[in-house]
Amino acid sequence: MGRNILAIDDSPTLRASLKFVLSDAGFNVIQGENGLEGLEILKEMRKEGKRINLIISDVNMPKMNGLEFLKEVKSTQSPDKFIPVIILTTESEATLKQKGKEFGASGWMTKPFKPNLLLSVVKKFIR
């Protein structure tokens, strides 16, 4: 069974950090730069018969931000609506967190992330 994580962030440095920490723990990390790219990757993976087990997404990104992406993925028509989504962002404002919760986020973490904390959260969703 695959343990695929889609990491979406416009920062190459953050994507590299996520890939390092998660790959080291045995996860396969697929990367996207923004929400639109994330949606494309999900569509491609489905076409290939592969499954994403978890999505980690930033909020502030160009083209499509993390909340817009989350709303799209969690919409009732989405074939990916049951994939857990963790928001990883510098944002800690209560109203944004509430929006994330309303749109279906499974968790909200602030950057910079602590590798051990990230892994413990990820392992709650992927065994």
Side-chain angles (χ1 to χ4, degrees):
M1 172 167 122
R3 292 164 22 121
N4 297 319
I5 296 176
L6 174 57
I8 308 169
D9 198 297
D10 57 329
S11 161
T13 309
L14 191 97
R15 286 195 313 270
S17 300
L18 283 171
K19 188 171 181 85
F20 178 79
V21 169
L22 295 167
S23 297
D24 205 42
F27 297 100
N28 180 35
V29 181
I30 298 102
Q31 301 178 344
E33 287 183 33
N34 58 61
L36 281 178
E37 200 173 300
L39 292 175
E40 278 304 306
I41 291 167
L42 286 169
K43 193 162 42 170
E44 282 305 307
M45 294 286 288
R46 268 196 320 278
K47 270 188 204 165
E48 294 170 20
K50 295 178 185 161
R51 203 171 141 239
I52 293 289
N53 303 92
L54 176 72
I55 299 167
I56 298 173
S57 177
D58 186 14
V59 169
N60 298 314
M61 299 178 287
K63 296 184 184 174
M64 178 185 269
N65 74 41
L67 291 176
E68 292 165 334
F69 168 78
L70 177 64
K71 195 173 184 181
E72 191 71 30
V73 167
K74 293 295 183 175
S75 77
T76 50
Q77 299 87 350
S78 172
D80 302 306
K81 66 180 168 246
F82 297 115
I83 300 173
V85 179
I86 296 169
I87 300 292
L88 178 62
T89 181
T90 54
E91 299 290 344
S92 58
E93 197 183 304
T95 55
L96 280 176
K97 284 183 177 180
Q98 185 56 41
K99 251 198 173 63
K101 197 180 242 179
E102 285 169 20
F103 291 168
S106 303
W108 190 284
M109 296 180 71
T110 50
K111 296 177 192 173
F113 69 89
K114 292 179 178 65
N116 292 344
L117 179 60
L118 178 73
L119 287 173
S120 75
V121 170
V122 166
K123 287 175 181 173
K124 285 179 182 166
F125 295 101
I126 306 176
R127 304 225 175 270

